[in-house]
Amino acid sequence: AKANGRDDDTLAVIRAAQAAARQGIWLVFPAGEYVITDQVSFSGAMAGVKGEKGNLIRLQSSSKRAGFLVRELSERDPIKDPFLVSGLSIECQVTYPDQAAAIYLIDTQGVHVVDNRIRHVQVGHGIYVRGMSNGINSTRAVAYNVFRNNVIEVEPLPDHDCFGIEIEAERLLPAGESSPRESWLRRFVLPDIPVPAHDNLLEGNQISGAYYGISFLGVRRSLVQDNKLQGQIRCMSIQHQSHYNVITGNELTDSLSSSIHLAYGSSFNTVSYNRIRNNRARGEGLLQAYVGASKNDFYMNEVEVGSEGLPKYMIYCAVVANENSFWGNRLSGPAGRAYIAVESAFNSKLRRKSHRGYGLRGADDHFTDRGMYGVRIVGNEIRATSMNVPVYVLAQVGDDRGQYPLLMCELSGNQVQWTGRGPLLELSESQAGLLRQIKLVGNEFAPVPRRDQLVLPRGGKHFSEMVDRAIIPQIEGI
């Protein structure tokens, strides 16, 4: 390779990669400026890939994919003998609409992508990991891969959604369905993942500017820790039957929508000790579980919204999102619709301003055919600064297709400092009697609310046995 920044080095790099694969040795990029205009495969018995100090790799193409493709590696122990991709400095100048990624992994096990810098991602992904084994050989699942200390800077072209790091297991959706959302809306049940990705590690990465900074689709038993994500649309999206993952110790700054978003059947995940700082949010819940995401545990997270931020919610849980727990979290700053909201459905025709569907003009209607139960909001600390939005909303929602109960939810042991203006608690029923078995015990409010600051259906009398009157003696009438 000439590595002078002008001549096309693609053929030389391909030949070098093929030679390294045949001989079982390293492919090394010495100092220099490389121009690559096509996909280069890292495969076979190659020992690994590393960039020496001073390397710069420019990916250039407007008519085809350009980048590095890792696949069909020779059999090796994924734990004891990982394949390393390290030290590459990549500048993305690809504008081809179907660009996959700067570093694209297919059916990989034991690949470590470490200490790389990927800049100016305009289309596609910084790092994309995909399962494509077609249900034939489960041992080829995406597994035991490590993504550590990579820097990914995304600068998307107009009308393009770019991603920082995405892991996507093989997803065999029913014929005619192209996404988990489409599958859900047809039958309100998602197909399982035939070959889930599992046991992957994302640690210490820095990602900025993406639509999703980190995205999981069908990922199990993986760890996401100590990453720094800034300026995404959503910092982290965990979707389509992604189970048993641990998301902890991450710093998430200035997402426009959710900071951590769980949806489409993603369950049994732990979201803990994350630090969320936001001064620009305008949509969704910063911590969010909805559309079939059940039995997830959100605890000990810190959420702080600055004076310029206005997320709809700080915590939001809705639509068959059963038995999620939110405990020990600390929330502060302004919110646009409520601080914590639990709703059984979406219905844009509702006139209630705290509802997620309010003003969406039907975009998210008809998302369920059943009710929801068992959400726990326990031991959180809330410093609410918004004047006229509820701190808490528990809402049973119906639509023209049915009524969807909200049952057996708990709001206990929370401490709230609030302005004392506007509503504190809003309980809402689309149909009388379908919001029930609600436990409201041991919550403390400063200042203590007036009775008219509790919005209660039918006067709230059917909740009376569930209320701890010792904490709020001023409202004995309910």
Side-chain angles (χ1 to χ4, degrees):
K2 294 183 178 180
N4 59 19
R6 298 183 304 275
D7 294 296
D8 190 337
D9 295 308
T10 306
L11 184 56
V13 173
I14 289 174
R15 288 174 173 170
Q18 291 171 343
R22 287 193 304 269
Q23 299 177 50
I25 59 177
W26 286 86
L27 175 67
V28 179
F29 288 84
E33 189 172 323
Y34 302 82
V35 175
I36 294 180
T37 60
D38 204 342
Q39 288 196 142
V40 178
S41 292
F42 302 153
S43 59
M46 185 186 296
V49 181
K50 57 186 174 183
E52 294 182 344
K53 184 177 180 180
N55 82 89
L56 177 61
I57 301 165
R58 297 189 184 278
L59 305 179
Q60 297 180 352
S61 178
S62 61
S63 59
K64 58 185 175 182
R65 294 178 176 180
F68 299 118
L69 177 60
V70 186
R71 68 180 306 178
E72 297 178 349
L73 296 169
S74 298
E75 291 292 330
R76 56 205 296 165
D77 189 312
I79 306 300
K80 297 179 180 179
D81 185 24
F83 181 90
L84 181 66
V85 180
S86 177
L88 302 181
S89 180
I90 300 172
E91 184 164 325
C92 302
Q93 299 175 349
V94 180
T95 59
Y96 178 57
D98 196 32
Q99 165 75 349
I103 301 177
Y104 185 16
L105 290 72
I106 295 178
D107 291 332
T108 59
Q109 295 190 350
V111 174
H112 290 209
V113 182
V114 177
D115 294 322
N116 301 284
R117 179 163 187 149
I118 303 171
R119 296 179 294 176
H120 308 307
V121 177
Q122 300 174 82
V123 183
H125 305 67
I127 299 171
Y128 184 23
V129 194
R130 189 177 180 191
M132 296 179 66
S133 59
N134 297 318
I136 298 170
N137 183 359
S138 63
T139 64
R140 294 176 60 191
V142 171
Y144 311 113
N145 300 293
V146 173
F147 307 91
R148 178 183 286 125
N149 297 339
N150 300 287
V151 176
I152 302 174
E153 299 172 3
V154 178
E155 299 176 9
L157 294 176
D159 301 320
H160 283 269
D161 294 335
C162 296
F163 304 85
I165 300 175
E166 181 167 72
I167 301 179
E168 180 181 6
E170 178 200 16
R171 296 180 298 148
L172 292 183
L173 293 169
E177 298 175 11
S178 60
S179 70
R181 186 180 191 273
E182 187 176 359
S183 257
W184 176 268
L185 289 174
R186 286 197 180 186
R187 58 185 62 84
F188 307 116
V189 174
L190 284 172
D192 201 4
I193 305 298
V195 187
H198 62 87
D199 295 284
N200 297 283
L201 170 64
L202 286 76
E203 181 179 50
N205 302 286
Q206 298 182 43
I207 304 172
S208 63
Y211 189 90
Y212 294 155
I214 291 174
S215 175
F216 280 3
L217 293 163
V219 180
R220 314 277 170 89
R221 296 197 315 266
S222 293
L223 175 61
V224 182
Q225 70 176 4
D226 299 333
N227 301 281
K228 295 183 179 180
L229 279 63
Q230 183 170 11
Q232 333 291 323
I233 301 299
R234 286 176 174 165
C235 289
M236 295 186 185
S237 178
I238 313 300
Q239 300 194 52
H240 198 177
Q241 309 281 36
S242 290
H243 305 327
Y244 319 114
N245 300 292
V246 175
I247 301 167
T248 187
N250 302 283
E251 292 187 18
L252 312 174
T253 305
D254 284 345
S255 60
L256 191 60
S257 183
S258 299
S259 292
I260 301 176
H261 166 79
L262 276 59
Y264 296 107
S266 293
S267 302
F268 307 102
N269 299 287
T270 297
V271 179
S272 64
Y273 296 99
N274 299 286
R275 184 176 180 182
I276 296 170
R277 298 291 180 267
N278 200 301
N279 210 34
R280 73 168 195 150
R282 289 295 182 272
E284 298 301 318
L286 294 179
L287 294 173
Q288 178 163 278
Y290 69 16
V291 190
S294 298
K295 298 182 180 179
N296 299 288
D297 216 1
F298 295 76
Y299 65 90
M300 304 301 286
N301 300 285
E302 291 190 13
V303 180
E304 181 179 330
V305 178
S307 59
E308 300 299 316
L310 197 67
K312 288 182 180 178
Y313 314 96
M314 292 193 182
I315 290 175
Y316 186 71
C317 187
V319 186
V320 202
N322 303 315
E323 298 183 273
N324 288 291
S325 294
F326 301 86
W327 58 271
N329 302 288
R330 299 177 66 181
L331 317 176
S332 65
R337 299 198 176 180
Y339 283 82
I340 299 176
V342 180
E343 301 186 307
S344 64
F346 305 146
N347 183 354
S348 63
K349 294 182 175 60
L350 288 185
R351 303 299 296 169
R352 177 169 52 84
K353 292 184 179 180
S354 63
H355 178 47
R356 178 186 177 276
Y358 179 78
L360 288 182
R361 299 181 181 178
D364 281 348
D365 289 351
H366 304 132
F367 254 72
T368 187
D369 63 349
R370 72 199 81 126
M372 180 173 146
Y373 62 88
V375 178
R376 301 179 69 241
I377 311 292
V378 177
N380 301 282
E381 296 181 16
I382 305 166
R383 294 186 178 183
T385 61
S386 294
M387 295 288 187
N388 295 310
V389 302
V391 176
Y392 302 114
V393 171
L394 300 178
Q396 179 268 321
V397 179
D399 60 26
D400 58 341
R401 296 181 182 177
Q403 299 293 332
Y404 314 113
L406 181 62
L407 309 172
M408 297 183 292
C409 293
E410 179 179 355
L411 193 67
S412 298
N414 301 285
Q415 297 183 10
V416 179
Q417 292 184 5
W418 63 307
T419 64
R421 299 178 59 183
L424 173 73
L425 170 65
E426 183 179 277
L427 303 181
S428 176
E429 288 180 317
S430 291
Q431 183 174 1
L434 292 188
L435 176 66
R436 62 179 185 268
Q437 296 171 276
I438 305 300
K439 183 177 181 180
L440 307 171
V441 174
N443 300 287
E444 298 183 11
F445 313 110
V448 174
R450 303 185 310 272
R451 181 174 177 173
D452 62 4
Q453 292 173 308
L454 305 175
V455 182
L456 306 172
R458 294 177 282 131
K461 292 182 179 180
H462 57 301
F463 297 108
S464 59
E465 73 261 20
M466 305 302 295
V467 175
D468 185 348
R469 299 177 185 279
I471 300 298
I472 43 175
Q474 286 87 344
I475 54 172
E476 290 181 0
I478 73 166

